[in-house]
Amino acid sequence: MSTPTPPAETVTALARRYRLELDMGTTPGTPIWTLVPGITEFTPKIEPTQQEVTTYDAEGWSEQAVTMLAWSIEATIAHRAHPTTGKFNAAQEALRKASRSFGAKSYVSVRYYDRNGADDAQQGLALVTWEPDGGGPDEVDTIKVTLTGSGPLAEITNPAAGGGTLAAKTGGGA
């Protein structure tokens, strides 16, 4: 009996590998991708809708089919302000304003990707929920942002891809 070959993938990915960007462009077809700073938690989700499709041919076994996909992103962000002017970050403000809008102004175009260049990058149109966490006088201002997809979440070429190894991009050894 032979021993199975261990996998070559031995480095554990870190949750902070994701980068979230918002299209701040005003001209259709000419995106201006802008970093959404201060992310302290990031959870992308794709949830399938499954329907039963069992027939007599299944011989008593249940069968399911995916009939729809829904995507969302849940993120917690540290609310960022300029140290001199006190103005809040423009990308964060765009998310807040979209959450309080109707019609076309309630949608944002977002993309997220692996900042180390891995083949993991998506883009889509989403509605925004902006929920301040509140807290006591000794706590920082954090916001729970939920981006609920409207339409497809498209796989895109990772903007951070461009050669190099993980060790070179992170400054560490493999």
Side-chain angles (χ1 to χ4, degrees):
M1 180 183 324
S2 65
T3 304
T5 304
E9 301 80 8
T10 58
V11 176
T12 301
L14 302 177
R16 66 177 183 250
R17 70 189 178 95
Y18 286 111
R19 180 179 175 121
L20 176 65
E21 294 180 342
L22 178 67
D23 179 4
M24 299 283 287
T26 56
T27 305
T30 309
I32 300 173
W33 293 108
T34 306
L35 173 69
V36 176
I39 293 176
T40 60
E41 290 185 40
F42 185 85
T43 308
K45 297 179 180 183
I46 297 177
E47 297 178 15
T49 298
Q50 297 178 354
Q51 299 292 331
E52 184 175 336
V53 295
T54 306
T55 66
Y56 287 5
D57 300 330
E59 299 182 10
W61 292 95
S62 175
E63 294 177 331
Q64 303 289 318
V66 173
T67 60
M68 189 178 304
L69 295 173
W71 68 273
S72 65
I73 298 169
E74 293 179 2
T76 302
I77 60 173
H79 205 182
R80 299 289 196 200
H82 190 277
T84 305
T85 66
K87 288 184 71 173
F88 288 117
N89 173 268
Q92 290 183 353
E93 274 298 282
L95 290 172
R96 184 185 67 80
K97 287 179 181 177
S99 77
R100 298 177 178 197
S101 298
F102 296 98
K105 291 184 177 182
S106 65
Y107 294 92
V108 294
S109 182
V110 296
R111 70 181 183 183
Y112 67 93
Y113 55 90
D114 183 296
R115 69 178 69 230
N116 298 315
D119 188 21
D120 185 3
Q122 285 77 0
Q123 178 178 325
L125 195 64
L127 293 170
V128 182
T129 303
W130 178 273
E131 300 174 78
D133 287 332
D138 61 339
E139 295 180 349
V140 296
D141 187 14
T142 58
I143 312 295
K144 179 182 176 191
V145 175
T146 303
L147 301 170
T148 303
S150 181
L153 181 65
E155 289 191 25
I156 60 171
T157 300
N158 187 334
T165 63
L166 177 62
K169 290 179 182 183
T170 61

